Amino acid sequence: MKLLHTADWHLGKIVHNVHMTEDQRSMLEQFVNIVEEEQPDAIIIAGDLYDRSIPPKQAVELLNDTLTTLINDFNIPVLAISGNHDSPDRLQFGAELFKRQGLFLDSKLKKDREPVTLHDSYGPVHFHLIPYVEPAEVAYVFEDPSIKSHQEAAVKLIEDIQERFSMDERHIWIGHAFLAGGMESESEERLSMIGGSPYIDAHLFKDFTYVALGHLHQPQRVTKETIRYSGSLLKYSFSEANHKKSVTAIEMEESGVSSIEKVALQPERDFEIVEGYFEDLLQGEATNQPTNYLHVRLLDDGQLIDPMGKLRKVYPNILYLERKRIHSSTRLDQLEKVKQRQKRSHEELFASFYEDIKGTEISEYRNQIVKEAIQTIKDKERGK
Amino acid sequence: MKLLHTADWHLGKIVHNVHMTEDQRSMLEQFVNIVEEEQPDAIIIAGDLYDRSIPPKQAVELLNDTLTTLINDFNIPVLAISGNHDSPDRLQFGAELFKRQGLFLDSKLKKDREPVTLHDSYGPVHFHLIPYVEPAEVAYVFEDPSIKSHQEAAVKLIEDIQERFSMDERHIWIGHAFLAGGMESESEERLSMIGGSPYIDAHLFKDFTYVALGHLHQPQRVTKETIRYSGSLLKYSFSEANHKKSVTAIEMEESGVSSIEKVALQPERDFEIVEGYFEDLLQGEATNQPTNYLHVRLLDDGQLIDPMGKLRKVYPNILYLERKRIHSSTRLDQLEKVKQRQKRSHEELFASFYEDIKGTEISEYRNQIVKEAIQTIKDKERGK
């Protein structure tokens, strides 16, 4: 059995005020071509189909077009879950009717959930579709108020599966979550934080044949080869500029996964960070692909007149222009500011935040309310 | 063949700040019971499934539950179109996949559209699903820029059907529009207005076996028995207080419609207008059903302290409280005001409108823009 694993489409995403819909459409056409070439037995979309709970209508149209093609033209089962960006209620529309067409769209956690079971010549493969849910929802569904963290929620969900099904057969977990190991050192540090940790220990999943994850945008394995993030469809921020986006093709045999391959996605307009002096950049040599989405870092010191306007004539899709402040004196000034800030009281910090956001000074009346709120919290912390 | 015809569900409707979702849910349960009892061969929903283009998630859930029950539990084909309140793009999600399940959900006008054809022992019945569209969209689809009015759009659509299909067979039109005859005298007057008329001449539809309409909220026939509005699911304003809501059951034989019956819908909370003196109303005898949604008209003259608060203890669902101004002098004052208003220029009217809406006087700069716009329109009207 061959699977294609993708996630984090984020349809309807807006980056620096630019709608990504056209880029997403071109990328999904590429995805459909990959499907046609690879001829998988099932397609997994591990959450964040949309970027927000009420996506723009163009995004709705694009998802509709894509799923309709996969189901109606190719007749390949699609197994999709909602991620933290999706609205479970809205994504659930039609789900019961879609099932009969081979589109399994799960956005709500239920008790006694049945996996979707597909077969190959070696026997059944069970797909467990676990939509993104808060720990409180798992606590509610399993009537177990002791579940407070994502880790505890995952323990419960896995326990439930292992109680009801024989793990001798092949089981696939489809989830949208932070699995520890995904970000190495940083993640371990966060794991040790008491409470509120978003991380789940990847070792919990050791009995699953394959774990198809969404949430992290970089394609990567977590602790072992068969626990994987497919990564997002596109780059969605400049922090992803160095990513190589792909979908993951998985081959399974009787004993489990026999091969894993990343099939590259080539964006029409890439995300790129370029750095240089204004006059040099105007020569147009900062990038091989001037239509890329650019984050431009200008090294110039002095005043420039309308640098964005001028640069956009050469690079039409600059999303962000940054002036590098390299005076050491300025840097010291900033350090000094940070130090000053650290000395300020909660009241002062809030007043400054208020002014930043609202553009006017906080009134005495409101300041009083803030003071009292802070006092209440401090009292509580001291156990009064 | 037996049909059930309903329309104007307006799921997600808010009336005087009250969400109607629970009333709608109870009404749709009643509707599902009617379906179970009547066992129709098809169900028609003639537009305005939702009240707005982005309905609240509870409305999405309710529509999903209802359609899923009709299709999955009863296996009865559902033929639905979008009305002027629905978002064509959002309602289109999954439409291609739903078709195979017997849910025909049409919200976009296409060229060479095929009807949905069902069969009984007398032969085929063709259902033409015509979503609500602006005349400009019909002009675009048929590449005929001469189409400017709803009337011209309907002429074109009917022509197109009659060219491509034999009208000897039975044809059903499902539409969401204003058909003339629906409001008698008033409508004829409006029909005579040059351009921009929303009305369509009902006689255009004479060759259709049945015309299933949505848009007007009162169940009614238009010029003939087989051209009908089913009316809305619920009362949605106090102007509908005297309506009797129903769904329409239609029996068809070889030659056409053989019987039409209105199956009553009984709301849990009715809309009612009550009138009386404050002290009398407090006795609780203004209505047999104190939980009804009430528009209360108080006849009292003098000052009353918190009448809404006090009345709500007896009638919890008062939506609107009106004080009747019965001083004849006041009435004359108002008449005088209306007369004065009629004398005012367009500029003055706009300035007053602006002040009403924005709460501040219009600036000289903006007033100038309005003046110029009005002048442009006047010039155009004079054929300059």
Side-chain angles (χ1 to χ4, degrees):
Chain A
M1 182 177 295
K2 188 183 208 171
L3 308 175
L4 263 191
H5 165 199
T6 175
D8 294 277
W9 288 4
H10 288 275
L11 303 185
K13 178 89 178 173
I14 297 167
V15 183
H16 291 287
N17 296 320
V18 175
H19 277 268
M20 291 285 122
T21 315
E22 276 321 298
D23 298 271
Q24 292 171 325
R25 183 172 285 279
S26 118
M27 217 57 173
L28 284 176
E29 281 166 12
Q30 218 172 105
F31 177 70
V32 165
N33 289 339
I34 293 172
V35 170
E36 199 166 10
E37 207 153 291
E38 297 280 336
Q39 291 289 330
D41 300 288
I43 294 162
I44 294 169
I45 316 173
D48 285 355
L49 284 75
Y50 291 126
D51 191 55
R52 44 200 158 113
S53 57
I54 301 182
K57 60 184 189 178
Q58 291 82 355
V60 176
E61 206 181 345
L62 180 52
L63 182 62
N64 184 41
D65 290 351
T66 307
L67 294 177
T68 304
T69 301
L70 295 176
I71 298 291
N72 272 4
D73 297 358
F74 296 147
N75 224 339
I76 298 173
V78 174
L79 312 159
I81 57 169
S82 55
N84 53 317
H85 281 252
D86 299 304
S87 158
D89 301 275
R90 293 177 195 277
L91 208 58
Q92 197 68 11
F93 187 85
E96 277 304 314
L97 301 176
F98 292 142
K99 270 186 191 172
R100 296 198 196 171
Q101 307 284 346
L103 171 56
F104 302 89
L105 198 55
D106 219 322
S107 63
K108 299 219 179 178
L109 200 70
K110 278 184 234 86
K111 227 194 150 168
D112 299 324
R113 51 192 309 118
E114 286 297 315
V116 175
T117 301
L118 303 176
H119 292 81
D120 62 10
S121 54
Y122 306 111
V125 181
H126 308 286
F127 295 83
H128 300 272
L129 278 63
I130 313 293
Y132 176 87
V133 286
E134 293 294 329
E137 228 169 306
V138 180
Y140 174 79
V141 167
F142 286 98
E143 295 166 33
D144 179 352
S146 77
I147 296 168
K148 304 261 187 230
S149 66
H150 284 278
Q151 168 82 5
E152 287 158 352
V155 168
K156 186 77 194 178
L157 283 160
I158 293 170
E159 220 175 74
D160 174 61
I161 291 169
Q162 293 184 329
E163 269 170 23
R164 295 191 293 131
F165 304 98
S166 152
M167 295 309 276
D168 293 342
E169 292 181 339
R170 290 167 296 172
H171 290 265
I172 314 284
W173 173 284
I174 303 174
H176 190 90
F178 266 124
L179 258 64
M183 296 171 81
E184 313 303 350
S185 57
E186 198 192 350
S187 69
E188 280 166 44
E189 187 188 317
R190 289 203 202 158
L191 255 182
S192 68
M193 290 182 347
I194 293 158
S197 164
Y199 288 93
I200 300 169
D201 181 358
H203 294 104
L204 292 178
F205 299 88
K206 61 182 174 7
D207 293 334
F208 286 87
T209 311
Y210 183 74
V211 179
L213 296 167
H215 204 33
L216 299 183
H217 285 194
Q218 184 156 28
Q220 60 198 283
R221 65 178 184 84
V222 187
T223 66
K224 57 191 271 197
E225 280 298 330
T226 53
I227 303 181
R228 302 194 77 90
Y229 287 96
S230 65
S232 59
L233 191 66
L234 276 168
K235 299 180 187 178
Y236 287 125
S237 84
F238 287 103
S239 68
E240 302 177 25
N242 294 326
H243 292 187
K244 282 198 192 326
K245 301 299 184 183
S246 57
V247 294
T248 313
I250 302 107
E251 284 275 10
M252 272 191 305
E253 289 176 3
E254 188 172 8
S255 58
V257 171
S258 57
S259 89
I260 291 173
E261 190 204 344
K262 285 194 267 186
V263 186
L265 293 166
Q266 293 301 343
E268 221 169 283
R269 285 178 284 250
D270 208 351
F271 274 64
E272 209 179 329
I273 301 172
V274 301
E275 193 174 271
Y277 289 95
F278 183 59
E279 289 300 332
D280 295 345
L281 291 176
L282 281 182
Q283 305 309 310
E285 289 161 13
T287 165
N288 294 327
Q289 200 63 48
T291 56
N292 275 352
Y293 291 122
L294 299 184
H295 173 160
V296 175
R297 283 195 191 125
L298 283 179
L299 299 175
D300 303 72
D301 232 359
Q303 223 190 341
L304 294 169
I305 294 158
D306 188 21
M308 186 61 125
K310 287 174 183 161
L311 284 168
R312 277 220 171 127
K313 288 191 182 143
V314 185
Y315 313 101
N317 296 315
I318 297 178
L319 294 185
Y320 189 62
L321 185 66
E322 185 189 0
R323 294 295 299 274
K324 248 193 160 175
R325 306 276 170 213
I326 42 172
H327 286 307
S328 54
S329 66
T330 317
R331 288 193 126 186
L332 278 178
D333 283 356
Q334 283 182 336
L335 260 178
E336 191 50 39
K337 268 194 194 159
V338 170
K339 273 189 194 162
Q340 287 299 329
R341 207 178 293 146
Q342 284 167 342
K343 283 185 203 157
R344 285 154 86 191
S345 70
H346 288 107
E347 286 92 329
E348 285 168 335
L349 282 169
F350 187 86
S352 142
F353 170 70
Y354 184 96
E355 203 174 326
D356 276 359
I357 296 296
K358 302 277 283 185
T360 61
E361 221 176 286
I362 192 164
S363 68
E364 189 43 48
Y365 170 69
R366 292 190 167 178
N367 200 31
Q368 193 54 39
I369 297 174
V370 172
K371 256 187 178 165
E372 284 164 17
I374 292 168
Q375 197 53 48
T376 308
I377 294 165
K378 283 187 177 166
D379 289 350
K380 286 239 169 102
E381 278 180 350
R382 288 192 203 105
K384 278 195 196 173
Chain B
M1 183 179 294
K2 189 184 210 170
L3 308 174
L4 264 193
H5 165 198
T6 176
D8 294 277
W9 288 4
H10 287 275
L11 302 185
K13 178 89 176 174
I14 297 167
V15 183
H16 290 287
N17 296 320
V18 175
H19 277 268
M20 292 285 121
T21 315
E22 275 323 299
D23 298 88
Q24 292 171 326
R25 184 171 283 280
S26 118
M27 218 55 173
L28 284 175
E29 282 167 10
Q30 218 172 104
F31 177 71
V32 165
N33 290 340
I34 293 172
V35 169
E36 199 165 11
E37 206 152 292
E38 298 280 334
Q39 291 288 329
D41 300 289
I43 294 162
I44 294 169
I45 316 173
D48 285 355
L49 285 74
Y50 291 126
D51 191 56
R52 45 200 157 114
S53 57
I54 301 181
K57 61 184 188 179
Q58 291 81 356
V60 176
E61 205 181 346
L62 180 52
L63 183 63
N64 184 40
D65 290 351
T66 307
L67 294 177
T68 303
T69 302
L70 296 176
I71 297 291
N72 271 5
D73 297 357
F74 297 147
N75 224 339
I76 298 173
V78 174
L79 312 160
I81 57 169
S82 55
N84 52 316
H85 281 252
D86 299 303
S87 159
D89 301 274
R90 293 178 194 277
L91 208 57
Q92 197 68 13
F93 187 85
E96 277 304 314
L97 301 176
F98 292 143
K99 270 186 192 171
R100 296 198 194 170
Q101 307 285 348
L103 170 57
F104 301 89
L105 198 56
D106 219 322
S107 63
K108 300 219 179 178
L109 200 70
K110 279 184 233 82
K111 229 196 149 165
D112 299 324
R113 51 192 307 116
E114 286 298 315
V116 176
T117 301
L118 304 176
H119 292 80
D120 62 11
S121 54
Y122 306 110
V125 181
H126 308 287
F127 295 84
H128 300 272
L129 278 64
I130 313 293
Y132 176 88
V133 286
E134 293 294 328
E137 228 168 306
V138 180
Y140 175 79
V141 168
F142 287 98
E143 295 167 32
D144 179 352
S146 78
I147 296 169
K148 303 265 189 225
S149 65
H150 283 278
Q151 168 80 5
E152 287 159 352
V155 167
K156 187 75 191 180
L157 283 160
I158 293 170
E159 220 174 73
D160 174 61
I161 291 169
Q162 293 184 328
E163 269 170 23
R164 294 191 292 132
F165 304 99
S166 154
M167 295 308 277
D168 294 343
E169 292 180 340
R170 290 167 296 172
H171 290 266
I172 314 283
W173 174 283
I174 302 175
H176 191 90
F178 266 124
L179 258 62
M183 296 172 82
E184 313 303 347
S185 57
E186 197 194 351
S187 68
E188 280 167 42
E189 188 189 314
R190 289 201 202 160
L191 257 182
S192 68
M193 292 181 347
I194 295 159
S197 163
Y199 288 93
I200 299 169
D201 182 357
H203 294 105
L204 291 177
F205 299 88
K206 63 181 172 7
D207 293 333
F208 286 88
T209 311
Y210 183 76
V211 178
L213 296 167
H215 204 30
L216 299 183
H217 285 194
Q218 183 156 27
Q220 60 197 284
R221 66 180 184 83
V222 187
T223 67
K224 57 192 271 197
E225 281 298 330
T226 52
I227 302 181
R228 301 193 78 90
Y229 288 95
S230 65
S232 58
L233 191 65
L234 277 170
K235 299 179 187 178
Y236 287 124
S237 84
F238 288 102
S239 68
E240 302 178 25
N242 293 325
H243 292 187
K244 285 203 191 321
K245 301 300 185 185
S246 56
V247 295
T248 311
I250 301 106
E251 283 276 11
M252 271 192 305
E253 290 177 0
E254 188 172 10
S255 58
V257 171
S258 57
S259 89
I260 291 173
E261 190 205 343
K262 287 193 266 185
V263 186
L265 294 166
Q266 293 301 344
E268 221 170 284
R269 284 179 284 251
D270 208 350
F271 274 64
E272 210 179 329
I273 302 173
V274 301
E275 194 175 271
Y277 290 95
F278 182 58
E279 289 299 333
D280 296 344
L281 292 176
L282 281 182
Q283 305 309 311
E285 288 159 16
T287 165
N288 296 327
Q289 199 62 49
T291 56
N292 275 353
Y293 290 121
L294 299 184
H295 173 159
V296 175
R297 284 197 191 122
L298 284 179
L299 299 175
D300 303 72
D301 233 0
Q303 224 191 339
L304 295 169
I305 293 157
D306 188 22
M308 185 62 123
K310 288 175 183 161
L311 285 169
R312 277 220 171 125
K313 288 190 182 144
V314 184
Y315 313 101
N317 296 315
I318 297 178
L319 293 185
Y320 189 61
L321 185 67
E322 186 189 359
R323 296 294 299 272
K324 247 194 162 175
R325 304 278 169 212
I326 43 171
H327 285 308
S328 54
S329 67
T330 319
R331 286 192 128 187
L332 279 177
D333 283 357
Q334 282 182 337
L335 262 177
E336 191 51 37
K337 267 192 194 162
V338 170
K339 273 189 193 162
Q340 288 298 332
R341 206 178 294 144
Q342 284 167 342
K343 284 184 202 155
R344 286 153 86 190
S345 69
H346 288 108
E347 286 91 327
E348 286 168 335
L349 282 169
F350 187 87
S352 143
F353 169 72
Y354 184 95
E355 204 174 324
D356 275 0
I357 297 298
K358 301 277 284 186
T360 60
E361 222 176 284
I362 192 164
S363 69
E364 189 42 48
Y365 171 68
R366 291 191 168 176
N367 201 31
Q368 193 55 39
I369 296 174
V370 172
K371 256 187 179 165
E372 284 164 18
I374 292 168
Q375 197 52 49
T376 309
I377 294 165
K378 282 186 178 167
D379 288 351
K380 287 238 168 103
E381 277 180 349
R382 288 192 205 104
K384 278 195 192 173

